[in-house]
Each structure stands twice: as C-alpha cells, then as structure tokens.
Amino acid sequence: MGGGSKKKKSVLALGAGAGAAISPALAPEAPGTNIPFKVMATMWGLYWDWQFGAFKKYQAGEISPVELYTLANEKAQELGIPVPLGIGHLAVLSSDQEKLKEGLAPHVETGEVPKPSDFDYIGVFPVDSDFWGFYDDQYAKFLEGKITYEQFQENLQNEAAKQGYVNAGVVQGEQGPFTDVPASAHPAQPAGEPGGTGKEEGAPEAAEAAPFSPSAPPPAWLLEASPVREDFWDGVAEAGPLGRPFLVAGPDIEDQTLTATLFRDPGGDSSKSRLVLFGKVREESEAKLLDALDLEGGHTVKVKRQVEKEAPLPLDEQEGLYAQLLKVAKSVNHHTGEGKDNVIPDHTLKGMAELRARLEKLQGSAQDEKVQAMLEHYVSQLKAVESAVAGKTKAPFVTQFTASQTVEVEEEVVVPAGKGEGLPARKRTGSRINASESGGSAVWDGTRNEDKFYGVEYLIDLGDGYQAVYHPNDKSVPYSLRGTLELIAPPGVNDGRGALQKLNLLHLHAGPPASAEEAEVMYLERNVWAQGYEKDPEYRAVGETLKALEMKQEAKLLAALDGAASKGLAEEEMLALAKELVLQNQRALLAEKTRLLKRFFERKLGLAPGGLDKLPTYRPVPAAAQSRKGFHFWNRFDLTPEAVREKTKGYCVVHEIKTAPGKKVDILCRMIENGGVLASTELRRRMGVKHSGVSSEQDMVTGGASYAFCFFRKDKKQKDFDIVWDPEALLTRSDWFATKGDDFGAVNPENAHYSVSGRTRKVEDLPEYESTGSGSWRAQIMFKNGVDLFGAHPPRAIFVDSENDRQKVLASFAKVGVKELGGRPVEDVVKVR
C-alpha cells in the first residue's frame, strides 16, 4: 500500500478521506486551497520519510500499534494530509499490515481508536484483479471532469459487483481541488501510496475488498526489473557475484540502473553478509551529491576486527618461499624462447636448488595441514619450472598458495562531529571492495584495497550503520571508475529498501522504482545513441521543445514552493519537498517526451504515426529482467537478426581469453560457474574475479574497462579464438561500438587513444574494418558491461585445446545445471580446435 507494496492507491485517493465515527482530532480535512494539489501530493514524500523512522520504532517495540497509528495521523495533519490514515499508510509489506491490523483490532472494537479506512479490506481484495484497469479508466474520467466523484464511486461499486465483490466499498470523503493535476500524469509519490476507503453509509453488508489501486498492475517484466514486490530482494543472493540489477526513477543514475550484490561472509556467518548497491551517478548530477556532504563535520577512525580471509600463510611470508619461486620462474622465462640462447644463468639454477632444499626440509617437520598443502603446492610448481629448464621451454605461471585463516584487519569509520550541515564525509585515497569469488558466490570481509591509482574517493556516513563510497569525476580517478557509487548496508541486512531510503540523503532521485513509462524513455534514448542520431538537428529540436516545456513547469514548481514556504516548513522539509517537485516535474514530461521521440523515429524509419509500436523489434524491456542478474541492456529496434545476418555473411564475433594457454580452460570454467558472463574489467573487479586482461589498468584510464572486448573476424579464422558468436546474436544490442584499430576501447574524450574517426555503430561497416584495419587487434567490438552466454547471447562455439579440457568445461556446465545454449546441447557447442 505504501511505497513498494503490492497494494497501491493514487495520491488523490489518499486525499479522499474518511470513514465514520471518528474523533474531532481526526476529522477529514480537504487539501488547503492556498496550496496547489501537487504540493499536497508531494507532502506524502515527507510523510514517508517520517514513517520510515516511526515504523522502525514500532518494530523495535518502542511504540505500540496504537501509538504508531496516533502519531501517524498527527504527522499527517501537520503536513496538511487528510486523515484518518489507513493501515497501508503505516506499513508497506502485506505481512506487516496484517500484523498491525491484529494489534489494532481490540482497540478498534472498543472504540478506543477510530477504525482505519482500510481496516476491513487488508489481505482480502485480490491484488491481481483486472478491476484495476477499469479503475484507471474511471479515475482518468474523474480527473478530466467527465464524471463526478459520486459517479466515480458508483461506477466502481457496480464494476466490483459485476466481478463478484458485492457491495465493495469505495473511497469516501471530501475531495480537494484536483483541477491542478493533468489526467495524463499521476503525481509523483512513493510507488503505491494508499488512500482511505470505507463503506457507503446505509449500504448493505459488503464483501470485504482491498483499497483501490491508482494504476493497473505493472507489466510482468517490470516486476522483475524493479523492486516493486517484497520478494524482490530474495533473488539478490541467487544472482551470485553478478548481482541483480533494477530500475530506479529519475535522471541521476546512469541507465536508471542500480545493481544489488549480496557478499557472503568468508566464514559463512549469515549475520555478517553484506549487501551493496552499485550504480553510476551521472556527471551532471554529481554537484547535488557533493552538496549533501559535510566534509568538515566528521573525522575517520580505524577500527580493528578479526575476519576470516583467504591469505598467504605466515610461514610463506617469513621464509619468502613464493617470492623465491616467482623470481626463478621469471628468470627462466627471460632467458628462454624464440631468439633467446636458452641458457639459464648459474644464479638462477642455484636459486632453484636452494628453494628445493628449503621446501624438502620444511616438509620433514611440517605438522599443520595447511602448511603441508602449501609446501606440496610449491614443490609441484618448482618441478614444472625444472622441467621447463630441461626442455628449454618457457615455465608455466606460478601462483601463491592461500588458505582461509583468521586475520586482523582495520576499517575506516566516519565519526560525526555533532555539528555542521550535511552528511559526515571524508575525502581519502581511492579504493575498491576487496572481494573474491568462491563456489558461485561473491565473498567479502568488509576490507578494501587502497591504491593511489584509484585517485580519490568520499567515505560517507549515512547513519544507522549504512555507508556510501563515492568515486568522483576527478581527473585522478580512472575514467571507468568515475561516478561509481557503492551504498553499503550494515552486516546482516539483506533487504535493500533501507539502503534506497538512504539515497534520498544524497539528494539523488533514485528512491521510487521506475515506471514502465520511464523505462520506455530510457529505451528510446538508448536507440538515439545506437542509431547515431545524438547530433541530428531534428533530435536536438526535440530537446529544445522539451526544455521549453520544462521551463514552464518550473514556473509552477516555484509557485508551489512559495505556497509551501507559507506553511512554515523547516529548511530540511523544504529541501525534501523541492526534490519531490523536481522529480514530479520530470515525470510530468514523460508522456510528451515519449510522443516526440516516437514520432522522430517514425520519420527516420519511414513509418506512419503509431507505426513504431507495431514493429516486432520494438521492445522497451531491459533484457536482464529475464535472467535477473548482471546488467541491463536494450535492443536496437532498427535492426532485425535477419538484417544483421545478411550484412555479415561469412563473418563471426569472437573473443580470446588472454592468458597462458594452460590456464584458459580454468578461466573459462570459472566464467561458467560464476554466472556465465563474459564480463568487463569493471564488472570482474566488482565480482571479485582476480583475472586481469592484457591492459586492464590502461583500459580503466581510457574507459574501455566498462566494456567486454570482442573482435569481428571471418568465419575461417574462428578456431583461432575461444568463444565465437553469430553476429546476429549480439549486434542487435544498443550498447556496442566498434573501432578499426586498437584504441583500448577509449570512451574518455581526454585520453590520447580516443578518436572520433575509425569507430562505428553501423553493422555494414564491420567487414571493411576487418579487411582494412591493421594488426591482430583490428575491428574491435565493445559491449557495455559484458555478454551473457547463458541467456540472450548464446555462443556458436566454444573452442578448447584438448578433449580433457572439453570435459572440464562440460563438467562446469553440468555443475550449474546448464544443458543447452541457444537451444543446442552444450556438447554440440564445446569443441576441440
């Protein structure tokens, strides 16, 4: 009923009012005529901010259900919101609402408290009924003045009776002046705000009904792509290291997408798991975030604690075993290979002999199982180096032994100074979450890898144990990391609703779930970029038209703020109200923006008005809504798979795993077991995958680290690579671009590798790039975030070097329960070169 609930009502229904037999203190009160109704509606944003804290007190047992209900009604009256409130105004989840109803019931029966307007309907009226579609139609007619409020109520009752809900109740009470609200746009409020309902006086005894919804149930895909259902957060752990993406409202977050990742505690303690929301703040929105911070109002302290962590053994550090092994292996490789004399220096041979003697001596006295395992690990690797010397070949990669152990770590915590304005924050050296991946899960002990290469960052105290780390748009920060926001919940908190509430403190519009209308605008804008129209004069004219409309809306916004100021709101409440009004302003323009962009594309594609919606390729749905993990991506509606296939006959898209030949299969198996995604460097770092590409740090500077690197090649060359796709499986995406040569995937316009020439988003240019580009890195294709092997982008083939490697890969597919890729058995996809 409240934001995030299954039961929703319009803000106007919220203002509708009253049941019978209530105290004078809770008498229904219509919105004041000196404030436009839009301002009254946004007061609900202030109310829900208050409700969040009050409900926590109720959950903690600090206040009773009756006290919560009384305080809520008093707060509503203070904000000019009609009372009495319903139970849906006190709690969001259905289970919480039913518990509150049970707690209030004895007091309602005795008349100690007035009956909440929705008391008789909680959990009774089905939330998936098509009644809501009828409700929307009638509601729009009421707003347009085509029917009276009494007719609106009567029509609802009749429709409810037709659907078997005999004498269902309707919203009652005085209505305020609604003419200020356009029928085409619902006022902005936390998703699902409820309103009052009650029985018509003198009506026969009614079958119980739930409060009425302001809109039809959201489309099924939106339920997967936004946290509008209470079970959304249950799926975060299932998404593993990739995390679960979801859409949020407003223009402040890139792609309107946040990704929730639940990091498991290394020791397996569920009370120490950590939920993190990742997102990118748009550069133009950064000033708002920084304005929310008080960089002088707090200080940081380091707190020590014990954690379970994968780390080298102390004996290894004391004896320098791995350091010596790495030293001799590097020396062997330096003197071995084509053009080398293949003569290993005496000092290297001596170092190998000394290392073997030390390992054998330690093996004779080792009692600890972990120490024994470490020594066996190093003896085995030293034998491989010795074999390489004997065969005059390069030595294989050597790895350091690590094991789970209890270690002491330090964490920085911001301590508020108790004065100053804004959130206590500290600017410090940049860092990343020190995560790892294990058994298909992301693992993190709360520590961070600090490195000057990451530039600077802000550590922000959000209160109640929540923290944020923000990587600003500063030249010291690698381009692909700039704007990244990490919202970190307290240990053991696996539900992200509290974290989303905290986003409001950062002055960012990201709290309510995105609507289907906002998702469609994002889809259209994505296609503007993908189809190369961002500089088109007609597209710019659309922007100018919208800007003019926005300025008119802003004039109304300022008038509304003036009206609110006359109510004597505190500065903090005025700020929250202004934020609500800005978002409302932007949402009010959605319908017009959608209409203008659709007509723009219809002209470009030679379609009649309304023709865009009829295209089979027009799908304003983020594809990750189906697999529930990883990242969102949208398709291009100007391309069909058939058209791509025709333009790319004889070609394929390929990827090569850059590592030592013997290690490729291990990386491929880990990729499969961690979600089946060819991930960008940035996504791998977030997941805790330690494997780095050929130029990972350089790619972070250019911005290419936000993309997965692939190539466009002729079919006859496909066996030279590790993963191969049919072009039509990938090139209908709207987030790729290609370069003729190797520019490290540069998207940073200030980087020397960046060039506007020699890059394209046109499929028909790719064969020419492949034939005229130079070097093995020619005709690169960059896909934002990565490529999903299991879902939308099944590969044509996966090539390995031996049957033994093939069986390893098939075993990894079996381990995660994947039997087919694109409708083909995995046995047919995985092949020996």
Side-chain angles (χ1 to χ4, degrees):
M1 299 173 114
S5 170
K6 294 181 179 178
K7 302 186 184 73
K8 302 182 188 176
K9 296 182 187 175
S10 70
V11 171
L12 301 190
L14 281 173
I22 61 175
S23 67
L26 297 181
E29 182 181 330
T33 56
N34 62 328
I35 298 182
F37 185 78
K38 286 184 181 180
V39 179
M40 192 283 294
T42 60
M43 294 301 182
W44 281 100
L46 300 178
Y47 170 81
W48 285 109
D49 284 342
W50 172 89
Q51 183 272 347
F52 178 71
F55 192 73
K56 284 178 64 177
K57 290 182 180 180
Y58 159 71
Q59 287 180 310
E62 296 176 20
I63 57 176
S64 68
V66 171
E67 289 170 323
L68 175 63
Y69 184 54
T70 302
L71 291 171
N73 279 282
E74 289 175 357
K75 185 64 178 180
Q77 285 192 310
E78 176 188 325
L79 293 171
I81 294 171
V83 293
L85 301 177
I87 292 177
H89 299 112
L90 310 182
V92 172
L93 299 182
S94 301
S95 56
D96 290 334
Q97 292 169 4
E98 292 172 12
K99 185 177 178 181
L100 268 171
K101 177 179 178 178
E102 183 180 345
L104 288 172
H107 307 280
V108 170
E109 290 174 6
T110 61
E112 181 183 345
V113 297
K115 179 184 287 189
S117 53
D118 55 3
F119 186 86
D120 292 331
Y121 316 128
I122 292 295
V124 176
F125 203 102
V127 297
D128 58 353
S129 169
D130 59 6
F131 177 86
W132 306 125
F134 176 83
Y135 180 95
D136 267 350
D137 293 339
Q138 297 300 306
Y139 184 68
K141 290 179 181 179
F142 164 61
L143 290 177
E144 294 167 1
K146 295 179 179 178
I147 59 175
T148 66
Y149 183 65
E150 290 71 22
Q151 289 171 322
F152 170 52
Q153 292 178 324
E154 184 179 352
N155 292 345
L156 291 180
Q157 283 186 309
N158 292 339
E159 180 64 20
K162 279 171 55 180
Q163 296 194 23
Y165 301 100
V166 181
N167 299 323
V170 296
V171 180
Q172 297 187 50
E174 294 294 327
Q175 291 292 332
F178 303 118
T179 54
D180 191 48
V181 184
S184 59
H186 290 292
Q189 80 269 10
E193 288 188 66
T197 64
K199 294 181 181 178
E200 241 287 1
E201 187 174 346
E205 283 298 310
E208 293 178 307
F212 294 104
S213 166
S215 60
W221 67 264
L222 189 60
L223 296 178
E224 303 295 347
S226 273
V228 295
R229 293 194 308 198
E230 55 197 69
D231 62 352
F232 176 88
W233 301 101
D234 297 337
V236 173
E238 298 171 10
L242 287 167
R244 185 171 184 181
F246 60 93
L247 293 172
V248 294
D252 293 332
I253 304 297
E254 184 178 294
D255 292 343
Q256 290 185 218
T257 297
L258 293 173
T259 302
T261 301
L262 186 65
F263 290 94
R264 183 169 56 81
D265 172 64
D269 187 343
S270 60
S271 69
K272 295 180 181 179
S273 61
R274 293 171 182 267
L275 179 71
V276 182
L277 306 187
F278 295 94
K280 275 285 192 81
V281 177
R282 292 183 184 273
E283 187 172 0
E284 56 269 28
S285 298
E286 182 177 274
K288 297 193 297 184
L289 184 152
L290 297 180
D291 185 58
L293 308 184
D294 176 17
L295 295 175
E296 303 301 326
H299 65 280
T300 55
V301 297
K302 290 189 175 180
V303 179
K304 292 183 178 181
R305 64 187 185 89
Q306 302 286 324
V307 299
E308 285 291 318
K309 185 177 183 180
E310 286 282 329
L313 298 186
L315 180 64
D316 190 358
E317 303 288 338
Q318 294 164 11
E319 297 286 339
L321 300 177
Y322 175 68
Q324 180 68 4
L325 176 63
L326 181 63
K327 182 179 179 180
V328 297
K330 283 184 174 180
S331 179
V332 169
N333 286 341
H334 179 69
H335 293 90
T336 306
E338 188 176 347
K340 304 291 180 68
D341 57 14
N342 293 323
V343 176
I344 308 302
D346 289 341
H347 66 80
T348 300
L349 297 174
K350 181 180 177 182
M352 293 167 60
E354 290 176 347
L355 178 58
R356 173 167 284 282
R358 287 163 62 201
L359 291 171
E360 290 175 349
K361 181 179 179 180
L362 289 169
Q363 279 185 312
S365 59
Q367 301 294 322
D368 184 83
E369 290 184 3
K370 291 180 181 178
V371 172
Q372 291 174 348
M374 176 193 70
L375 296 173
E376 291 174 4
H377 176 80
Y378 288 148
V379 168
S380 174
Q381 295 201 63
L382 180 58
K383 285 181 180 178
V385 175
E386 292 169 340
S387 296
V389 171
K392 295 185 178 182
T393 60
K394 292 226 179 248
F397 284 2
V398 294
T399 59
Q400 188 165 24
F401 179 87
T402 61
S404 179
Q405 52 198 295
T406 302
V407 297
E408 186 174 73
V409 298
E410 285 188 334
E411 285 185 341
E412 276 195 308
V413 178
V414 179
V415 179
K419 57 183 179 179
E421 298 179 356
L423 300 168
R426 205 69 170 171
K427 194 173 184 178
R428 65 183 188 183
T429 301
S431 65
R432 285 186 183 271
I433 284 175
N434 186 23
S436 60
E437 41 86 18
S438 175
S441 297
V443 178
W444 182 40
D445 60 9
T447 61
R448 301 183 70 88
N449 287 326
E450 181 182 298
D451 195 319
K452 290 182 179 179
F453 174 74
Y454 300 136
V456 297
E457 67 187 21
Y458 294 100
L459 174 64
I460 307 164
D461 182 6
L462 299 172
D464 302 317
Y466 289 87
Q467 287 187 335
V469 175
Y470 179 64
H471 307 270
N473 284 281
D474 186 282
K475 288 188 177 181
S476 70
V477 180
Y479 193 81
S480 63
L481 190 57
R482 293 180 194 175
T484 298
L485 177 66
E486 304 163 15
L487 197 58
I488 305 167
V493 176
N494 299 343
D495 187 309
R497 284 171 294 177
L500 287 176
Q501 287 274 354
K502 295 296 183 182
L503 274 173
N504 294 328
L505 301 178
L506 294 170
H507 296 176
L508 299 177
H509 291 307
S515 64
E517 293 77 14
E518 284 170 308
E520 185 170 25
V521 167
M522 170 61 65
Y523 177 59
L524 290 164
E525 290 284 13
R526 269 289 190 179
N527 271 271
V528 168
W529 182 87
Q531 298 180 39
Y533 290 131
E534 65 267 34
K535 295 182 180 179
D536 186 273
E538 285 187 64
Y539 173 68
R540 291 188 170 184
V542 169
E544 290 168 3
T545 299
L546 290 168
K547 187 63 180 176
L549 289 172
E550 189 174 4
M551 291 178 68
K552 291 179 181 179
Q553 289 288 101
E554 283 177 358
K556 294 182 179 180
L557 183 153
L558 292 173
L561 283 176
D562 287 341
S566 68
K567 285 280 188 180
L569 293 183
E571 183 177 349
E572 181 181 326
E573 292 178 315
M574 284 292 292
L575 179 62
L577 176 58
K579 206 168 69 171
E580 289 291 330
L581 287 168
V582 168
L583 181 57
Q584 177 179 301
N585 186 22
Q586 292 160 342
R587 283 184 155 179
L589 295 174
L590 281 175
E592 185 63 15
K593 187 172 186 178
T594 302
R595 185 186 69 80
L596 291 172
L597 286 175
K598 282 185 173 180
R599 193 66 199 106
F600 164 77
F601 277 114
E602 284 164 351
R603 287 193 295 271
K604 292 297 181 183
L605 298 175
L607 301 171
L612 191 63
D613 284 319
K614 298 175 183 177
L615 287 179
T617 51
Y618 188 79
R619 298 190 300 273
V621 179
Q626 310 305 320
S627 64
R628 300 187 180 188
K629 61 186 177 183
F631 44 85
H632 285 148
F633 57 92
W634 289 259
N635 78 304
R636 285 177 61 161
F637 51 72
D638 64 323
L639 287 174
T640 64
E642 293 74 22
V644 173
R645 190 181 305 121
E646 183 63 29
K647 294 176 181 180
T648 59
K649 281 183 179 178
Y651 291 89
C652 54
V653 177
V654 298
H655 175 78
E656 181 180 6
I657 298 172
K658 297 289 186 178
T659 189
K663 295 292 181 180
K664 283 190 176 187
V665 68
D666 294 333
I667 292 173
L668 187 55
C669 289
R670 279 166 49 200
M671 186 188 302
I672 293 166
E673 292 174 21
N674 283 320
V677 168
L678 173 63
S680 67
T681 295
E682 283 295 335
L683 182 53
R684 290 200 305 272
R685 295 295 173 93
R686 195 179 80 201
M687 294 168 62
V689 175
K690 302 302 182 184
H691 169 67
S692 293
V694 174
S695 56
S696 293
E697 288 198 352
Q698 184 64 41
D699 295 340
M700 290 182 207
V701 175
T702 67
S706 296
Y707 294 79
F709 285 66
C710 293
F711 301 94
F712 192 73
R713 291 291 182 268
K714 292 180 179 178
D715 282 341
K716 63 183 181 181
K717 294 289 186 181
Q718 63 179 320
K719 290 187 179 181
D720 294 343
F721 298 88
D722 303 304
I723 309 176
V724 182
W725 293 268
D726 292 319
E728 61 268 25
L730 291 173
L731 298 181
T732 56
R733 279 175 57 161
S734 63
D735 58 5
W736 66 268
F737 67 93
T739 59
K740 183 174 286 190
D742 180 21
D743 64 0
F744 294 85
V747 291
N748 177 4
E750 298 175 356
N751 187 266
H753 293 284
Y754 180 83
S755 174
V756 294
S757 62
R759 62 175 54 206
T760 187
R761 297 167 222 156
K762 297 180 179 179
V763 173
E764 54 267 30
D765 290 342
L766 296 178
E768 188 265 335
Y769 273 32
E770 200 281 335
S771 61
T772 62
S774 60
S776 61
W777 293 82
R778 70 188 182 280
Q780 284 185 1
I781 308 180
M782 313 294 295
F783 296 95
K784 190 173 182 181
N785 294 311
V787 178
D788 177 11
L789 307 181
F790 293 173
H793 312 120
R796 172 201 293 179
I798 296 173
F799 288 107
V800 294
D801 293 332
S802 67
E803 181 58 31
N804 184 53
D805 286 350
R806 180 173 178 270
Q807 292 304 319
K808 286 183 180 180
V809 173
L810 292 176
S812 289
F813 277 120
K815 185 175 180 179
V816 296
V818 174
K819 298 180 179 180
E820 294 184 345
L821 295 176
R824 298 165 58 210
V826 291
E827 291 82 2
D828 294 347
V829 177
V830 184
K831 305 176 181 181
V832 179
R833 296 181 210 279

